[in-house]
Amino acid sequence: VQRGGGGGGGGVLTKIFVGGISWETSEDTLRAYFGRYGAIVDCVVMRDRHTGHPRGFGFVTFETDAAARAAAEVRHDIDGRAVEAKVAVPKDGGGYGGGGGGG
């Protein structure tokens, strides 16, 4: 299953990492909250692959890097928790990570 909007290459950083979110926070909540900064291409709350429980962080991908930067410049309060948002930097070789292990 491929996530994301496909086109964002060329070094444009349109994805933000959102850390410290509540276990009750859903993709819909993140999409509604961060939609004020610009059009959202993809939104995911990372979950434990064995239990399905949220891991306390997620990613939001915007259509533009300006929207991602704007969202990353301020503090956020979502579902009663102060959360951190910062521009996600792709790991070496492309993709943004967040997937399996490595070693």
Side-chain angles (χ1 to χ4, degrees), residues 14-87:
T14 58
K15 183 179 278 192
I16 62 169
F17 164 85
V18 183
I21 59 177
S22 166
W23 283 16
E24 286 77 35
T25 301
S26 68
E27 283 90 352
D28 289 339
T29 303
L30 290 180
R31 189 178 295 274
Y33 180 87
F34 284 104
R36 69 184 77 182
Y37 295 97
I40 294 174
V41 174
D42 188 39
C43 182
V44 62
V45 171
M46 301 307 291
R47 297 182 179 277
D48 182 280
R49 70 179 62 165
H50 301 293
T51 66
H53 293 291
R55 295 177 59 196
F57 70 95
F59 294 93
V60 177
T61 305
F62 292 93
E63 262 185 20
T64 66
D65 62 330
R69 283 196 313 271
E73 288 176 355
V74 295
R75 298 291 290 172
H76 304 280
D77 188 81
I78 302 172
D79 287 341
R81 294 196 52 174
V83 302
E84 174 185 21
K86 56 186 176 182
V87 174

